[in-house]
Each structure stands twice: as structure tokens, then as C-alpha cells.
Amino acid sequence: MGDLQQRLQMALDAAHMAIWDSRLVNGQAIEGTVYWSAGGAALLGLPARALSQSFRDFLGHVHDEDRATLLAIMQAGIDQRTGYELQYRVLWPDGDTHWLDARAQVLSDRQGRPMRTLGMIRDITEQRQQMIAIAERQELAEVTLNSIGDGVMTTDPQGKTRYLNRMAEQLTGWSNALAHGRDIRETLQLVDESSGQPLEHVAVKCLQQRQAIGLSSHAQLLTRDGHSIAIADSAAPIWSRDGVILGAVVVFRDVSHERKLSQQLSWQATHDTLTGLVNRREFEHLVASALHTAKEEGHTHALLYLDLDQFKVINDTCGHGAGDVLLQLLAKLLQAQMRDSDILARLGGDELGVLLPHCPLDHARLVGEQLRQSIRDFRFAWDTRTFELGVSIGMVEITQDSKSTSELLVAADQACYLAKEQGRNRIHVYQESDVMLAQRHGEMLWISRLNEAFERDYFRLYAMPIVHLHAGQESHNEVLIRIRNSHGELILPGAFIPAAERYDMMGSIDRWVIRAVCHHIMSVRDSLPPLDALAESCRRTPALYSINLSGMSLADTSLQHYITGQFVQFEIAPEQICFEITETAVIANLPKAQVFMHQLKTLGCRFSLDDFGSGFSSFGYLKALPVDYLKIDGLFVRDIASNAINRAMVKAINEVGHVMGIKTVAEYVENSATLAVIRELGVDYAQGHAVGNVRPLTAGLD
């Protein structure tokens, strides 16, 4: 018997268990006595020796929150003769808390009266702590998953849905309970955003290939209630410690805004924002594709180049707003008369391009004539005036013999030029002999016209106000040049500046403008009564004139000496002169531009960077230049009231300019809506018909 008890005690010690023996009084545990083995006493934190104590004393070791429950469960098991199982906490003398697990049977006398409970008790503190830690980790994981902005779903190895976090429930429309056990392809239904066809599911692909699957860029989620949401999704396997796949986790998020913005940017990269037509870059790409099919498959296409004959007159007399409306109307008019496969593009300003795929030259002539006649019959009304229009059209055939895209575009441009030279409002089909004829004729024509303008003093200066939006009155004008020929016609710079640049005459024109502006300032000063002249000379902010300089002039090392000579001759304060330089001209001549600008800046001249924002390298070069004004490219300004992307661009340029201590000017402010947005964004100056029209500055030089 002793040997059996010893073996039993060894087994209990190995299992970290002890005898739990409670004697009852009148069937009540609370009135009885508890007998502990040495191991049982140790479970209470007491010395490891046999111990007996009243049940009330035993309850003194039990955690306050567990006493009532322990007594109730024990007494119920005694009363029902079923025994009991329970877990409770005890407080050791050193203050530690331990969890005990007790299981006992009820022993009764011959009359069936309960006399004692006898069973086993063991310390389960470590297991409880592990359970609590696991529960806390699970709770933390669930709280984390429910807090993040991404949807998270998990599956079993067969692709059945196991879990959705809160965001996944919101995005899919499925609750955890409804989704559980359903195929992931049902609860996370994915289709291609373009075709609407089901996609190879990211979770299924992940389970099949047993590897992570990266983000897709064209997935769309069909929700439980039938809505569609653009999402970016990815999946990764869930592995057990022994390398078995337990399922997959899918992470996805709503990218509707980002994808819409990306589509807008993509559209803007290939289209003209004013008319909605294809832009020059995309048109050239389409012409290149047409040329490829012509060479590879023998197809024949036609390319048309259209130049509106009266557009500049309308733009100059009625403002850019009128010109914009005219272009929008003409775009709709011409588009309505073309096949779905035909391409109408705006190439810039008043120049349009047409690509007629699979169209022989004879039929292209008919299409071109129809377009010409439609524009000829069109009447444009603005305010109280009505304008008739014409169009000059150059046409070139795209065949297997065509050489390159650039040569096709040049040929169409030259044919259009000849159509204008032959009387305008007509079609000219490109011939090989046109190249030399156009070049020779153009050179002779523009060289003679520009030389005549110098000799006969046909150049005229005009002023476009630059108006401060947030401060007092000040006089600031951009100086513009025109030619008034012998017939009294006013020729805008768009007609002669390209030729002047081509034939190296821009330096002479720039010097003429500089001298004429200095002469004008002196004339205004000399015409004032003595007291007014004195007041003018004492003004802290004298009238400021912005003069445009070409890239050719920036590279002219002798120009600075010419400028200072004019200042001395006409007694001009350098502070009254601001030189406007385009971003592209500065970048093309950066080292010379830096020297030129720093030297004149030392004298007191100011500098304005024109068309700022047209290149993405702008901010990098800006830090190296002593610039006083940034003129924000009109491409971003003109539709800022309705285009969120352009508004953001203007806001960014304005803020960067201000951080660098540079004032900002918005160009092409043509209406009150645009002006209101420009004011709201904090731009310093505005220029355009909404704040002031072009007016003559001087009639020429004496």
C-alpha cells in the first residue's frame, strides 16, 4: 500500500497536481474543513507540508472576485451530487496571483448524505497567461486591422472566406458572418475596369502559385449591392511554422480618386483642354502610326494642316475669351462633319490638324473642301460685331514612299503656307517642288518686310497692363511690338517673330524695343510740368515697363553695354525696366543668362520669368536665377475656375514663388471667374482682358 501511495504521489508531482479534499458539515462546504497534501499547500503559496484549515480560512486565500463563484459552483455540485469543475484565482502571501483548476467528486454516506468532496487541483497560471497573451494579440491584431484604411480579407487553403476587417466589410458590402465560408471570388468579386470581364482572382492565383501577387492597376470591385469601386489589390500566402499553406490574405483599397486623377492626367497629356481635341503630341503619334501602316501594309492616308485666316484679328480686337469660344465652336462644327475614324487635332493657337485614315487623295480633297466651305459659311458673333472666317489648308498624302513623320508635318505646314500666300481660304496639295519654292519665297518675303519695317519705322509699341491684386495703384505694363505696314494693316508678332528668329533678326528687334521704351519714358517725363516731373522723380514706385528678350539676345555678350548706353542717353532709372525672359530661353542659355541677369540686377533692373511652369525643370533652375516675377503659364490659368488640376498647379507655383521671395503674375486672366480664383489663391498680379486691354504705347521714335 505504501508503494502505491508513493507512485501516486510521484505521478501527481509530475503533473503538478495535488489532492483536493473538502469535508462537509450538514452538506455545506462553507462550514467544513479543507485538507491539503504538501503539494496542495504549496499551490496556495504556503510551506509544502500537509495542512488542514477551515473552509472559511481557505476562502481567505481566494481572489475577492472569485470567492462567491467558487462557493456557488461547489455547493451546486454538492447539492446535485454531480461534483464540479472550476477555475479560480488565489493570492499568495507574496502578493502573486495564481490560477488553480479544481475537479472533484461528491462522496456520500450510506443514507446518501454528502460528506466530502475529493478531487485533484493543479496550477494553470502559465496556461492562463499564455491564453491571455494570445487573446490580447488577437484583439490587438483585430483592432489594428479594423483601424487601417485598407480592406483585409483572409481565406482558407481552398479559397473560402474566413475573415473581413471593418474596411473590407464596408467596401464589399459583406459582413463577416455572411461571408464566412463563401468562395472569395463571390465575396470579393473582381472585374477588369475596361472590359467588365472577371479577372483572374488575386487570392486564387496566390494559392495556386504559392507566392505573393503584386498590385494590379486595373481591377474593379463589384460590391454586394451592385456598385463598382476601383481598387488596388494584392495577396500573400499564410504559412504555418512547418511550411503548410493555411490560406491567403488579400489587402485592397479604394483608389477611385487616384485612378480618376490618373485618367484626367492621361487625357490632358493627349488632349487640348480648351477644345477637347487631340493635342499636337498625340496627333504626331497618330500620324507616325498611320505612316507605319502605310509602309507595312500599303495603306493610303491623308494629312491636312488648317490655319484660320481671321483668328488673330478676333483675338486681338475682342480678347482671348472670344478666341477661345471661337475655337470651341469650330471644333464642334468640324468634328460633326468627319467620320468616327478621322482625327481632328489642335496643334497650337489657331492651327488645326486632320488625319484621314484610309483615304485616297481625291477623297481627301473633297473632305478638305467641305471643311473649308463650312468655315467660310460660319459667322462668329461677339457682342455687337459679326466676323467672317476663312481657312488655309495644306494637304499631303501618306503613302509607302513617305519618308518620316517630321517630314510629313513639315510638308503639310509648307502646303498650308503656300495656300495662304496664294490668296488664303483655299487648299494646296503638297508637291515636292513646294519645298524650295516655299523656303525661297518665305525668306525673300520676310527679310524684305522686316528690313522695310526698320527703314520706314513701321514698328509700333503697345502696352498690356499688369495689375496688382492686393495693394495700391501702381503702373506696370508689358511692352508688346506690332508692325503697321504701308497699307495701314497691323501685323501681330505671331506673324513675324518666327521669321525673325529663323533669320537671326530678333537681336535687332529687341534693341529697337529697348531704345523705343527708353525714349518713351523720357518723353513722358519731359512732357510733365516741372512740379509734376519733380513729384514723378520722387515717387517710390515709378512706372515699370516689362520688355521681352529673346534667347538670341541673352546670348549676345554686347547687349548689356547697349542697355546701359540707352539708360545713360535717355537718363532712365534702371528700376523702371523689367526684362521678361521665357523659361525655355533661359535654360537654353543658362550660363550666359546668369551673368547677364546678375550684372543688370546690380544696376537695379528687374527680371520676370515668362511662361513659368511649361517645363518640369522650372523649380530647379529658379534657385540659380535672380528673378523678381514669375509669370505663370496661361495654359494653367485660362480654365482654372473649372479645372482642379490646373488650380493645384497654379497654387503650387504661387506658393513656391512666395517662399523664394518672388512675386507672381497670372497670364490670360480673361474673365471674372478666373480673376476670382487668382485672388483667392493669393497671386500678386493679373494680366489679361479681365483687368486691362492692349493699348498703344507710342507711335515710334523721333
Side-chain angles (χ1 to χ4, degrees), residues 383-449:
D383 291 336
T384 60
R385 305 182 64 178
T386 301
F387 297 88
E388 294 183 3
L389 299 169
V391 63
S392 300
I393 302 176
M395 184 180 300
V396 62
E397 192 175 28
I398 304 175
T399 66
Q400 285 180 317
D401 299 326
S402 300
K403 295 180 181 179
S404 68
T405 301
S406 60
E407 290 190 12
L408 283 170
L409 293 167
V410 168
D413 187 15
Q414 290 172 340
C416 181
Y417 174 80
L418 288 174
K420 290 190 289 185
E421 290 298 309
Q422 292 165 6
R424 300 181 181 272
N425 192 37
R426 64 186 63 223
I427 298 173
H428 183 85
V429 180
Y430 175 78
Q431 308 278 336
E432 286 291 337
S433 59
D434 289 343
V435 178
M436 295 305 298
L437 176 63
Q439 289 179 345
R440 185 167 59 251
H441 187 72
E443 288 173 4
M444 294 173 61
L445 180 64
W446 278 113
I447 289 175
S448 62
R449 284 183 179 179

Side-chain angles (χ1 to χ4, degrees), residues 18 25 46 74 80 85 106 219 294 391 416 496:
V25 174
L46 302 175
M74 281 187 64
Q80 298 171 14
E85 295 180 8
V106 178
V391 63
C416 181
F496 62 85

Side-chain angles (χ1 to χ4, degrees), residues 278-518:
V278 169
N279 62 17
R280 174 180 283 274
R281 180 180 178 184
E282 180 66 10
F283 186 71
E284 291 177 357
H285 175 72
L286 294 170
V287 171
S289 298
L291 176 60
H292 178 76
T293 64
K295 288 186 172 296
E296 296 295 322
E297 303 171 25
H299 296 158
T300 299
H301 318 289
L303 171 63
L304 283 67
Y305 196 99
L306 286 66
D307 191 306
L308 300 174
D309 293 334
Q310 300 299 317
F311 180 79
K312 288 183 174 64
V313 174
I314 296 172
N315 220 23
D316 198 46
T317 57
C318 301
H320 292 287
D324 289 350
V325 171
L326 172 59
L327 286 172
Q328 291 170 334
L329 293 174
L330 287 178
K332 293 179 181 178
L333 173 69
L334 299 179
Q335 196 83 65
Q337 300 182 46
M338 298 167 63
R339 301 171 301 177
D340 290 341
S341 59
D342 297 338
I343 305 297
L344 176 64
R346 184 186 180 198
L347 306 183
D350 60 344
E351 299 168 353
L352 304 174
V354 176
L355 177 62
L356 303 175
H358 308 289
C359 184
L361 193 57
D362 289 343
H363 185 67
R365 287 177 185 268
L366 296 177
V367 174
E369 180 59 30
Q370 183 180 353
L371 297 177
R372 186 198 68 80
Q373 193 61 47
S374 296
I375 294 175
R376 185 62 181 168
D377 294 340
F378 179 74
R379 297 292 181 270
F380 179 64
W382 189 261
D383 291 336
T384 60
R385 305 182 64 178
T386 301
F387 297 88
E388 294 183 3
L389 299 169
V391 63
S392 300
I393 302 176
M395 184 180 300
V396 62
E397 192 175 28
I398 304 175
T399 66
Q400 285 180 317
D401 299 326
S402 300
K403 295 180 181 179
S404 68
T405 301
S406 60
E407 290 190 12
L408 283 170
L409 293 167
V410 168
D413 187 15
Q414 290 172 340
C416 181
Y417 174 80
L418 288 174
K420 290 190 289 185
E421 290 298 309
Q422 292 165 6
R424 300 181 181 272
N425 192 37
R426 64 186 63 223
I427 298 173
H428 183 85
V429 180
Y430 175 78
Q431 308 278 336
E432 286 291 337
S433 59
D434 289 343
V435 178
M436 295 305 298
L437 176 63
Q439 289 179 345
R440 185 167 59 251
H441 187 72
E443 288 173 4
M444 294 173 61
L445 180 64
W446 278 113
I447 289 175
S448 62
R449 284 183 179 179
L450 290 172
N451 285 330
E452 183 183 29
F454 280 113
E455 293 169 3
R456 297 176 178 259
D457 196 18
Y458 285 163
F459 289 117
R460 297 290 182 269
L461 294 186
Y462 282 71
M464 183 72 165
I466 300 174
V467 179
H468 202 298
L469 299 180
H470 309 286
Q473 294 293 322
E474 65 178 11
S475 178
H476 189 173
N477 294 283
E478 178 182 357
V479 178
L480 308 172
I481 190 169
R482 309 279 192 265
I483 291 178
R484 177 77 69 182
N485 64 18
S486 57
H487 303 292
E489 298 172 339
L490 193 66
I491 302 173
L492 302 180
F496 62 85
I497 292 297
E501 291 174 338
R502 189 180 305 126
Y503 305 121
D504 298 332
M505 300 182 75
M506 275 309 303
S508 299
I509 292 176
D510 286 347
R511 291 184 178 224
W512 187 95
V513 173
I514 292 168
R515 182 174 176 81
V517 170
C518 290

